Amino acid sequence: SGAAAGAAASGTKIEWTLASSFPKNLDTIYGAAEVFAKRVKELSGGNFIINVKAAGEIVPGPEVMNAVKNKTVQIGHTASYYFFGTDATFAFDTAVPFGLTSRQHTAWMMHGGGMEVMREFFKQHNIVNFLGGNTGTQMGGWLKKEIKSVEDLKGLKLRIGGFAGKVLSKLGVVPQQIPGGEIYTALEKGTIDGAEWVGPYDDEKLGFYKVAPNYYYPGWWEGGANLSFYINAEEYAKLPDAYKVIVETASLEAHTDMQAKYDAKNPMALASLLGNGAKLHKFPDDVMMAAFKATQEVFAEESAKNANFKKVFDSWITFRHNQMQWFGLAEKSYADFTTANPWKP
Amino acid sequence: SGAAAGAAASGTKIEWTLASSFPKNLDTIYGAAEVFAKRVKELSGGNFIINVKAAGEIVPGPEVMNAVKNKTVQIGHTASYYFFGTDATFAFDTAVPFGLTSRQHTAWMMHGGGMEVMREFFKQHNIVNFLGGNTGTQMGGWLKKEIKSVEDLKGLKLRIGGFAGKVLSKLGVVPQQIPGGEIYTALEKGTIDGAEWVGPYDDEKLGFYKVAPNYYYPGWWEGGANLSFYINAEEYAKLPDAYKVIVETASLEAHTDMQAKYDAKNPMALASLLGNGAKLHKFPDDVMMAAFKATQEVFAEESAKNANFKKVFDSWITFRHNQMQWFGLAEKSYADFTTANPWKP
């Protein structure tokens, strides 16, 4: 603390650029970087400035991780599963199909060994990672036509990000990688049959309900999508100790704040979507089961050929198993009752 | 930020005493105050010191709120529902029967208007409140004999804290207020028929499984028990602006950290309890439904006679209703599937 005091008091001036993978209109997810930057500035007495840039301002959204790695920017805010093509291990820091929920992921990272294994992995990419938000369990997305069984997935062109595409391919889906801004037109023209995005609050803005009204849940490929702040390792090493503490605490505040915002905003957006004609559907049981089996196959294949993946997976799967058993008792039975028995205002 | 910078740089020396309502052996819940104090010290460059005292060291556990109100200590860490006898409104800051889950409570406080209404309430008691941890949905506690239906509750002597006793009284239970350290002996002697505490990690330490092996879930009176830091309003007003920022961000870190610790630790403790003979039971459906109805009656009665309670309840119940509808879709269907279909390590 003596060192920290000295550094803070000396008022070392530092100015960083943060590249976000998200546009400003996704105010919840983009906003997490602003919450973080504001707090860093306040806690450093205005000496440590982080300038937040939206996707495309300096770095295209999908290039943020590379920009951090290569020191084009000092820090990025993104979903690491965008980079699963480089190494599937990246996906664990965001979400993998049938993975951890928001609370479970936070527990894994903070007290379940997750931060240690992920830091070791990101070190290979010259990056230090910090928690930076979660969306909660996402919705499964929008389909032009209803699906009744796993057979209906065959040949379906779905816009879906990241690792989940590999799993859906095994079920006959033809995954499409399309930037957020182009999805609506693709759905309208029928170039694609469906698209997943996030949840009601973000989905409403893009208007998918007008052209693909069947709204599926749950987004089993994103039981909780975690965002992180990624810092170039050399730039991080140069920070005074006091600023390292500031980064850690401010990122965690942004982390908690983003989930709270989504939770507070999603219910009203869902009501609005339903009022505008969105039709809710739960994924058929056989779709869920086939997807779960395909996920386990994909994980076995990946573990066999990728030592990084296997190392993280071995930590993660044990933690996941224990979490699901525990969450299946008090949390689940409480949710079962409270969601089935309305207490009207 | 100019003001903040000045205050931080000037290194204003402040030393506070924090009274916790918890003993050191409850390391997760007691530990949240230590996490907070450590971060406050680091972020202030060692200038703002908070000395954490366990229950009884300076203030008895149940007296912490009064000690803060009366400035015996500057800050406390406790569960405000211990003080529901003074005003039932206190219960909303911790947990009320069939209330918000951990994530939902955090969302209510941070982005659902909860912080505003609770701050207004605590102002009457000369206190400023900050989030300070959550246990998640608790277990329903330990019973010497099984209960098969709501009839079996009649005459049962249960050790149960806070507001839930009022609800259980309506079902024939005779609530007992017994400090943690005396519960085991009371169960062993048969002075009481059962006791609720927290969840596996804390419950295991007290050894209840040896004398009352029937372990019930869910703890419907604590769908998520929130802890807070309570600061004497005059002492808070005296803080430099920079230290107010530090208190806010450090308390939020302790808040998130405590839930993550419980989530990480509970599964192993549960496995150990089951290995030692604890028998899991879900509360019978008719018990849940009778308790829910009794809860609504108690809330109507309290709202009719207590303007403070009614004001908070009106904010809370609308938020709760919307949350439960939303959490009933993606989150719940995801939990249904992932807890029913094991993915073995």
Side-chain angles (χ1 to χ4, degrees), chain A residues 99 103 249 253 256 332 334, chain B residues 99 249 253 256 263 332 334 336:
Chain A
R103 254 176 66 185
T249 198
E253 176 166 350
T256 302
K332 186 174 135 48
Y334 189 73
Chain B
T249 198
E253 176 166 350
T256 303
D263 288 342
K332 188 177 133 44
Y334 189 74
D336 286 347

Side-chain angles (χ1 to χ4, degrees), chain A residues 270-292:
Chain A
L270 178 68
S272 167
L273 284 167
L274 295 177
N276 281 317
K279 289 168 201 152
L280 282 175
H281 304 278
K282 197 173 153 188
F283 277 121
D285 291 345
D286 71 334
V287 169
M288 293 293 286
M289 194 52 79
F292 184 48

Side-chain angles (χ1 to χ4, degrees), chain B residues 65-296:
Chain B
M65 195 73 83
N66 288 330
V68 173
K69 188 173 175 172
N70 305 330
K71 231 191 283 190
T72 305
V73 292
Q74 294 88 356
I75 178 168
H77 186 239
T78 186
S80 67
Y81 67 4
Y82 294 156
F83 311 92
F84 85 100
T86 311
D87 186 327
T89 317
F90 277 109
F92 282 108
D93 204 47
T94 312
V96 295
F98 299 97
L100 303 171
T101 63
S102 178
R103 252 175 68 184
Q104 292 168 351
H105 187 90
T106 300
W108 181 55
M109 292 299 279
M110 294 184 78
H111 293 286
M115 188 58 92
E116 291 77 4
V117 293
M118 290 315 300
R119 285 257 166 101
E120 202 179 322
F121 170 70
F122 280 111
K123 198 174 179 183
Q124 298 176 18
H125 294 273
N126 203 30
I127 283 169
V128 184
N129 55 302
F130 293 85
L131 290 170
N134 203 300
T135 62
T137 302
Q138 298 196 1
M139 292 293 281
W142 304 85
L143 293 178
K144 290 177 81 77
K145 290 185 189 162
E146 274 187 64
I147 50 169
K148 301 287 189 189
S149 80
V150 70
E151 290 302 310
D152 294 341
L153 294 179
K154 295 222 168 102
L156 220 58
K157 288 183 189 166
L158 296 184
R159 185 273 175 194
I160 185 157
F163 205 59
K166 280 201 181 195
V167 172
L168 281 164
S169 295
K170 284 192 182 265
L171 308 182
V173 167
V174 187
Q176 311 285 309
Q177 304 282 345
I178 300 176
E182 299 169 24
I183 300 172
Y184 186 92
T185 308
L187 282 171
E188 195 176 28
K189 288 187 181 165
T191 319
I192 57 175
D193 303 301
E196 65 92 33
W197 191 237
V198 181
Y201 183 67
D202 291 334
D203 291 8
E204 190 183 17
K205 294 174 192 164
L206 298 185
F208 303 146
Y209 63 91
K210 296 176 207 160
V211 284
N214 298 293
Y215 200 20
Y216 278 82
Y217 67 91
W220 47 263
W221 51 88
E222 294 177 281
N226 179 76
L227 287 297
S228 289
F229 295 102
Y230 299 101
I231 302 180
N232 178 278
E234 288 144 32
E235 294 294 334
Y236 180 72
K238 282 194 261 173
L239 288 182
D241 286 350
Y243 290 4
K244 288 181 181 169
V245 171
I246 287 173
V247 164
E248 191 168 325
T249 198
S251 62
L252 197 53
E253 176 166 350
H255 180 66
T256 303
D257 184 75
M258 184 176 128
Q259 181 65 76
K261 261 187 206 143
Y262 268 118
D263 288 342
K265 286 168 185 279
N266 273 323
M268 291 297 96
L270 179 67
S272 167
L273 284 167
L274 295 177
N276 281 317
K279 290 169 200 151
L280 281 175
H281 304 279
K282 195 172 154 189
F283 277 122
D285 290 345
D286 72 333
V287 168
M288 293 292 287
M289 194 51 80
F292 184 48
K293 282 183 182 156
T295 297
Q296 291 173 293

Side-chain angles (χ1 to χ4, degrees), chain A residues 216-227:
Chain A
Y216 278 82
Y217 67 91
W220 47 262
W221 50 90
E222 293 176 282
N226 180 76
L227 287 298

